[in-house]
């Protein structure tokens, strides 16, 4: 009876938590907009943002058009064209106009939907953006770097309003000033692709979990004895899986410990150190490489890589060539002792991986420079 009551309760809750239109959001779309704009090109627009009376030039008619593509990741691309008219008596570039002057703007911007960070509301889309454009204003053309801050508010999946403010900084400020353009437009979205909001995804996940639980409870009612048997089998499988995982882990740890111990042996051998401007192996170097050969004979599955280096003296091109010579002589010696060339490779780094501060232009003793003239050994397969 308890199980049956639980099943009925789960079914009732699931029915109350059905997905609705409120759980879906627009994720990507194309958008066109038509609206009006206001331009503040007074010369002090960034200090007196709301000097509407003397600084703002407002177009009372549709004067701004745009088309854009907005993607699921929050990035939007938009091309914008706008027209305005500087009015006689307005302040432009810190001077009062004596005639009306046309304003034309052509801009491209990349924006980012802040709802990707804040969480989707479905109707309110704040955004920021950057871009570039060309403006012909006050009888002077200029390229501009643009920064935009705005928001869209949506009344449906297709219709809404776009409010934004764009700061436009002139690329060449010798003869022109920066200015601000405000805009409001009616926006229409098409080719809309929708998906679940974050809350909708959480609700869907919860519904899926509840559906699984409901099915599990119903199956339990129908096959109580079968459940007990299956549970015992599951416990046995989990035990076997845990034992297998533990064995695999122990095997892996043992293999890793063996690899680390082998790498330690290689480190304890030390490095092959070359004389200045030389790639020839000394007697001491050959004794060290003989020990390396002994290790590789003891470990037939061991493959290594020789990395060769130089100090910083000399040109980069010469040092790269010299390190390749050092690497090749090191490998050739090991191969000459009977080690298959398939088990040892090399890589030359020239002067790019110094072990101390002895770079170009830094005075160092010969002892410090010698630390960089080396061949090192690394395990690549074991």
């Amino acid at each position: 009876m308890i199980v049956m009551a639980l099943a009925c309760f789960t079914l009732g809750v699931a029915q109350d938590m059905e997905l609705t239109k409120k759980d879906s959001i627009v994720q990507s779309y194309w958008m066109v907009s038509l609206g009006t704009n206001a331009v503040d090109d007074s010369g002090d627009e960034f200090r007196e943002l709301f000097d509407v009376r003397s600084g703002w030039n407002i177009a009372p008619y549709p004067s701004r058009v745009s088309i854009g593509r907005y993607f699921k990741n929050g990035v939007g691309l938009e091309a914008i064209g706008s027209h305005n008219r500087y009015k006689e008596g307005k302040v432009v570039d810190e001077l009062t106009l004596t005639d009306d002057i046309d304003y034309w703007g052509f801009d491209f911007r990349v924006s980012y939907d802040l709802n990707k960070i804040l969480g989707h509301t479905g109707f309110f889309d704040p955004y920021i953006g950057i871009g570039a454009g060309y403006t012909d204003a006050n009888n002077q053309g200029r390229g501009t770097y643009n920064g935009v801050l705005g928001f869209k508010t949506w009344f449906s999946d297709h219709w809404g309003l776009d409010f934004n403010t764009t700061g436009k900084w002139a690329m060449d400020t010798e003869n022109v000033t920066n200015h601000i353009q405000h805009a409001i437009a009616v926006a229409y979205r098409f080719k809309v692709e929708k998906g679940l909001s974050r809350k909708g995804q959480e609700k869907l996940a919860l519904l899926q979990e509840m559906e699984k639980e409901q099915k599990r409870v119903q199956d339990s009612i129908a096959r109580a004895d079968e459940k007990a048997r299956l549970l015992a089998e599951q416990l046995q499988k989990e035990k076997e899986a845990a034992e297998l995982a533990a064995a695999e882990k122990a095997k892996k740890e043992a293999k890793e410990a063996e690899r680390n111990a082998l790498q330690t042996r290689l480190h304890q051998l030390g490095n092959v150190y070359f004389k200045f401007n030389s790639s020839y192996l000394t007697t001491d170097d050959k004794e060290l490489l003989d020990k390396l050969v002994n290790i590789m004979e003891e470990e037939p599955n061991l493959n290594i890589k020789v990395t060769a280096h130089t100090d910083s003296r000399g040109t980069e091109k010469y040092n790269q060539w010299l390190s390749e010579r050092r690497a090749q002589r090191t490998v050739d010696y090991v191969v000459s002792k009977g080690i298959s060339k398939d088990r040892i490779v090399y890589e030359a780094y020239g002067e790019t991986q110094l072990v101390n501060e002895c770079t170009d232009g830094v005075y160092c003793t010969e002892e410090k420079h010698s630390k960089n003239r080396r061949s090192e050994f690394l395990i690549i397969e074991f």
Side-chain angles (χ1 to χ4, degrees), residues 154 226 271 290:
W154 299 103
E226 183 68 10
N271 299 328
D290 288 339

Side-chain angles (χ1 to χ4, degrees), residues 12 19 31 36-37 80-81 88 104 113 191 220 240 251-253 324 361:
L19 291 172
M31 186 189 83
T36 187
N37 73 99
I80 305 161
E88 177 185 351
W104 296 94
D113 185 356
K191 291 189 176 180
S220 297
E240 293 174 356
K251 182 179 178 181
K252 182 178 180 180
E253 290 175 349
E324 291 174 359

Side-chain angles (χ1 to χ4, degrees), residues 224-236:
D225 292 340
E226 183 68 10
K227 176 185 174 181
R229 185 182 67 81
L230 293 175
L231 179 60
E233 291 180 357
Q234 181 65 27
L235 290 173
Q236 182 61 30

Side-chain angles (χ1 to χ4, degrees), residues 10 12 14 16 37 47 49-50 63 87 110 127 131 149 169 185 228 272 276 278 341 352 380:
T10 303
D16 291 337
N37 73 99
R47 297 188 298 274
L49 296 176
F50 302 103
S63 56
K87 301 295 184 181
V110 180
Y127 61 89
L149 178 66
W169 289 266
V272 172
F276 175 66
S278 173
K341 63 180 181 180
T352 63
I380 58 175

Side-chain angles (χ1 to χ4, degrees), residues 165-185:
T165 295
T166 303
K168 296 186 175 181
W169 289 266
M171 296 179 183
D172 180 5
T173 59
E174 182 176 354
N175 298 313
V176 296
T177 60
N178 307 319
H179 65 282
I180 292 179
Q181 185 176 36
H182 310 282
I184 178 173

Side-chain angles (χ1 to χ4, degrees), residues 34-40 56-65 80-86 103-105 107 162 164-166 168 179-185:
L34 179 65
T36 187
N37 73 99
V39 177
D40 185 352
W56 286 31
N57 299 275
I58 303 173
Y61 46 81
S63 56
R64 180 185 183 275
V65 64
I80 305 161
S82 59
H83 173 257
N84 207 311
R85 192 165 180 81
Y86 289 172
Y103 171 99
W104 296 94
D107 303 290
D162 184 6
N164 62 78
T165 295
T166 303
K168 296 186 175 181
H179 65 282
I180 292 179
Q181 185 176 36
H182 310 282
I184 178 173

Side-chain angles (χ1 to χ4, degrees), residues 305-317:
K305 177 169 71 174
V306 176
T307 63
H309 311 266
T310 70
D311 61 31
S312 62
R313 293 175 293 182
T315 65
E316 291 184 6
K317 182 177 181 180

